[in-house]
Amino acid sequence: DAMVIQNPRYQVTQFGKPVTLSCSQTLNHNVMYWYQQKSSQAPKLLFHYYDKDFNNEADTPDNFQSRRPNTSFCFLDIRSPGLGDAAMYLCATSRDRGRGGTQYFGPGTRLLVL
Amino acid sequence: AQSVTQLGSHVSVSEGALVLLRCNYSSSVPPYLFWYVQYPNQGLQLLLKYTTGATLVKGINGFEAEFKKSETSFHLTKPSAHMSDAAEYFCAVSFAFGGSQGNLIFGKGTKLSVKP
């Protein structure tokens, strides 16, 4: 089945230690999104790639970076995680932007910062 | 500015009872409308969406929603709740144009509990 895969499902890191979360997709979609979801809150868009074009949300901290080396993979890098970065990180994909297209979500990676 | 309001952060119903989750949006242009469901420690799964055409939309698991432009609403209903419906439900909108085209704007979510 075509899907969005996130690894690992759970990630523990130390305060200030860089961490990378990964997302892959078999849907061949043009757009890949990264969301941060804190407990009992709605997902918050961090940034997205439309093909190779990177689009950062205005309020996304500089501590968060992303890479998309090819259509299938996208990475979220947190350069110096703080305690406030503990959250669920969701990757999503869509065929295109606009036009009411569905975003397909992966199962998420729960990040714990010690 | 566009926004989504979900009335009620928690809704509790008995098994077999009607489920009604409310969603209102604020926008100067017609949005695309979505309902997503999230089970604990899982990603979001699309229940249904409205883009154009018929305003009553049927989705998975027996859910449906009706787009009412005059009320700027897109409430989610299910005639008979099942224990497996217990989850968090998010209403979202997106738009065809503008710098944020295609981006989902989520409501704060409604946690549905189903009592035996």
Side-chain angles (χ1 to χ4, degrees), chain B residues 5-53:
Chain B
T5 302
Q6 290 183 242
L7 191 61
S9 58
H10 286 87
V11 170
S12 182
V13 301
S14 297
E15 192 173 20
L18 172 72
V19 176
L20 170 60
L21 304 182
R22 299 178 187 273
C23 174
N24 289 87
Y25 67 89
S26 173
S27 169
S28 57
V29 297
Y32 302 119
L33 296 150
F34 304 80
W35 276 100
Y36 281 87
V37 62
Q38 186 177 34
Y39 297 99
N41 290 313
Q42 296 291 324
L44 277 70
Q45 180 183 10
L46 181 71
L47 277 176
L48 49 78
K49 68 178 182 181
Y50 171 80
T51 53
T52 60

Side-chain angles (χ1 to χ4, degrees), chain B residues 71-104:
Chain B
E71 299 177 8
T72 61
S73 69
F74 192 56
H75 302 329
L76 181 71
T77 60
K78 182 174 180 177
S80 176
H82 192 273
M83 296 295 290
S84 60
D85 294 326
E88 187 146 25
Y89 293 78
F90 291 95
C91 181
V93 301
S94 72
F95 299 91
F97 302 103
S100 300
Q101 68 170 11
N103 290 355
L104 288 173

Side-chain angles (χ1 to χ4, degrees), chain A residues 1-110:
Chain A
D1 284 346
M3 55 176 51
V4 182
I5 302 160
Q6 291 189 245
N7 285 307
R9 294 292 313 277
Y10 298 89
Q11 177 74 56
V12 181
T13 190
Q14 292 179 332
F15 182 94
K17 185 176 180 181
V19 65
T20 295
L21 309 181
S22 74
C23 176
S24 64
Q25 54 131 341
T26 60
L27 296 161
N28 203 33
H29 281 172
N30 292 315
V31 193
M32 295 187 78
Y33 304 83
W34 279 105
Y35 292 87
Q36 178 192 64
Q37 186 181 24
K38 296 189 175 179
S39 182
S40 299
Q41 295 185 21
K44 177 181 178 295
L45 182 64
L46 295 173
F47 26 59
H48 73 274
Y49 274 95
Y50 182 66
D51 197 9
K52 297 180 181 178
D53 292 333
F54 178 70
N55 297 270
N56 199 29
E57 292 301 298
D59 56 354
T60 299
D62 293 341
N63 198 27
F64 292 85
Q65 304 286 321
S66 186
R67 297 170 282 135
R68 190 179 185 186
N70 54 52
T71 300
S72 301
F73 284 87
C74 195
F75 300 97
L76 170 62
D77 300 309
I78 309 177
R79 293 193 295 190
S80 181
L83 298 178
D85 296 328
M88 174 80 93
Y89 290 87
L90 296 166
C91 175
T93 73
S94 65
R95 184 179 305 279
D96 208 337
R97 293 183 69 195
R99 298 185 225 158
T102 299
Q103 287 191 23
Y104 295 86
F105 285 80
T109 294
R110 184 167 294 283

